[in-house]
């Protein structure tokens, strides 16, 4: 595990170059469709694996703060360059947005590690994971949550804030600029980093968790991309809370590692009730909004009003 950070930097560098490749090269339609599946697998699986490898490092607070600072600097610098030094469709935008995505991987790792260093007992992972699942469902499904409003009303800003899965370009898509298959909330990577760091610190089942988490998240993203237009009651498959598979995978794979006693059990029960309440309210608000849209007096949403597919995890595979 001594080479965890080295592997992290190698993976981040490879993803950076692959973003540039997808941003500047045009493929035949059939090839682009196949590469879209490849992109979904790579840009979900490799960031999670990079976080996993980095989490094995013997972290100290000063190291985590350095990753947070450098990552945030790259994120802000890339976003400013994309906004003021170029414009939509300008080739340089591909480079600047690749810098943004690199920065996101850096600062999410830094914050995730910092959060893990504040947790002194591995049993606390249970209420934390349960709460995040419920809170994420509230943020993703509730149409009035800040996350939903940002994604639906200011999509240009969300592209600079969220992690993205780039779309390979075909002859049917614009030749320049950034094209994305889906967006992933940075909080998903952040809490994945926190959980993996805790698992390594407490000598839990980190590798087994990775083996289950990556394919589950990839399948989750493919559902968002290819079945995003499907509605299950009031809920759209185009926007799903990724903390659900992340949190549940962490808990199920590591369940035998936890030893709850006395008040800890009561605390978990209370947190579970709170999480269920948050999830229920998010779904309830989604149902209300759905009924309003289908009422005879409700205007039909135009194509411009529909947000791009988003895989969310702390807002929705996000923040």
């Amino acid at each position: 595990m001594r080479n965890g950070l080295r592997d992290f930097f190698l993976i981040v560098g490879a993803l950076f170059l692959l973003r540039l490749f997808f941003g500047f090269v045009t493929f035949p339609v059939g090839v682009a469709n196949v590469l879209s599946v490849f992109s979904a697998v790579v840009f979900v699986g490799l960031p999670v694996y990079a976080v996993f490898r980095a989490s094995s490092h013997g972290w100290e607070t000063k190291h985590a703060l350095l990753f947070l600072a450098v990552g945030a600097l790259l994120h802000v610098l890339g976003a400013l360059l994309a906004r003021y030094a170029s414009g939509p469709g300008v080739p340089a935008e591909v480079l600047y947005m690749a810098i943004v995505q690199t920065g996101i991987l850096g600062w999410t790792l830094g914050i995730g590690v910092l959060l893990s260093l504040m947790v002194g007992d591995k049993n606390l992972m249970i209420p934390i994971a349960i709460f995040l699942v419920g809170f994420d469902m509230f943020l993703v499904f509730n149409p009035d949550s800040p996350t939903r409003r940002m994604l639906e009303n200011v999509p240009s800003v969300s592209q600079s804030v969220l992690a993205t899965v780039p779309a390979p370009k075909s002859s049917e898509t614009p030749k320049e600029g950034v094209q994305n298959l889906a967006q992933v909330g940075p909080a998903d990577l952040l809490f994945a980093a926190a959980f993996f760091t805790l698992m390594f610190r407490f000598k839990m089942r980190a590798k087994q968790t990775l083996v289950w988490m990556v394919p589950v998240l990839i399948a989750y993203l493919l559902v968002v991309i290819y079945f995003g237009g499907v509605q299950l009651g009031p809920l759209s498959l185009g926007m799903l809370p990724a903390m659900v598979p992340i949190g549940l995978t962490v808990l199920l794979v590591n369940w035998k590692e936890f030893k709850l006693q006395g008040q800890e059990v009561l605390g978990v029960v209370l947190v579970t009730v709170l999480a269920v309440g948050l999830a229920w309210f998010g779904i309830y608000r989604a149902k209300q909004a759905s009924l309003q849209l289908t009422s005879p007096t409700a205007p039909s949403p135009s194509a411009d009003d529909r947000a791009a597919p988003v895989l969310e995890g702390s807002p929705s595979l996000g923040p």
Side-chain angles (χ1 to χ4, degrees):
M1 292 298 161
R2 292 176 302 179
N3 298 320
L5 288 184
R6 180 204 65 184
D7 293 347
F8 175 82
F9 288 123
L10 288 175
I11 294 170
V12 170
L15 290 173
F16 178 85
L17 294 176
L18 189 55
R19 285 185 183 277
L20 297 183
F21 180 67
F22 281 160
F24 290 116
V25 178
T26 301
F27 306 92
V29 175
V31 175
N33 290 337
V34 173
L35 287 178
S36 294
V37 178
F38 170 79
S39 181
V41 172
V42 167
F43 283 92
V44 171
L46 280 187
V48 174
Y49 182 66
V51 164
F52 165 80
R53 295 295 292 128
S55 298
S56 67
H57 180 68
W59 286 96
E60 297 180 15
T61 300
K62 60 183 180 181
H63 300 146
L65 288 172
L66 178 62
F67 270 75
L68 168 58
V70 174
L73 178 62
L74 289 174
H75 188 166
V76 173
L77 177 63
L80 290 176
L81 287 172
R83 181 173 182 179
Y84 296 110
S86 68
V90 175
E93 182 193 15
V94 174
L95 172 62
Y96 300 147
M97 294 310 296
I99 294 174
V100 167
Q101 295 301 311
T102 301
I104 289 175
L105 287 173
W107 68 255
T108 52
L109 175 62
I111 294 181
V113 171
L114 288 173
L115 291 176
S116 73
L117 294 176
M118 299 177 187
V119 178
D121 185 348
K122 64 182 179 181
N123 288 336
L124 290 175
M125 293 173 64
I126 299 178
I128 291 173
I130 292 174
F131 174 78
L132 289 175
V133 167
F135 188 58
D136 195 21
M137 293 178 70
F138 165 77
L139 288 175
V140 173
F141 296 142
N142 180 10
D144 296 323
S145 72
T147 300
R148 283 290 298 271
R149 288 191 176 278
M150 179 189 73
L151 293 172
E152 294 174 357
N153 299 328
V154 197
S156 60
V157 173
S158 66
Q159 182 171 324
S160 298
V161 174
L162 303 178
T164 60
V165 176
K169 296 180 181 179
S170 72
S171 55
E172 297 179 349
T173 59
K175 296 293 186 293
E176 297 178 342
V178 177
Q179 306 295 323
N180 295 317
L181 285 171
Q183 299 166 325
V184 181
D188 301 328
L189 293 172
L190 187 158
F191 286 110
F195 284 131
F196 279 126
T197 304
L198 286 169
M199 283 184 271
F200 277 112
R201 197 168 99 216
F202 293 119
K203 296 179 172 54
M204 300 169 70
R205 299 166 59 86
K207 184 180 296 186
Q208 293 88 337
T209 303
L210 174 76
V211 169
W212 281 98
M213 184 182 294
V214 168
V216 168
L217 288 178
I218 290 173
Y220 216 60
L221 177 61
L222 291 176
V223 168
V224 169
I225 293 173
Y226 294 105
F227 299 96
V230 176
Q231 289 282 137
L232 295 180
L235 307 180
S236 169
L237 294 185
M239 186 175 290
L240 295 175
M243 275 310 305
V244 174
I246 291 175
L248 293 181
T249 301
V250 169
L251 293 181
L252 292 175
V253 175
N254 294 276
W255 190 252
K256 292 183 179 180
E257 302 286 337
F258 302 115
K259 306 295 181 185
L260 296 177
Q261 298 178 350
Q263 292 183 339
E264 291 178 328
V265 176
L266 177 60
V268 169
V269 171
L270 293 177
V271 170
T272 301
V273 171
L274 174 61
V276 170
L278 287 170
W280 173 84
F281 185 74
I283 296 172
Y284 170 73
R285 289 293 299 121
K287 184 176 181 179
Q288 283 190 319
S290 177
L291 291 174
Q292 291 175 355
L293 287 175
T294 56
S295 65
T297 57
S300 300
S302 65
D304 294 335
D305 293 331
R306 301 188 189 107
V310 178
L311 188 55
E312 297 205 10
S314 235
S316 83
L317 242 199

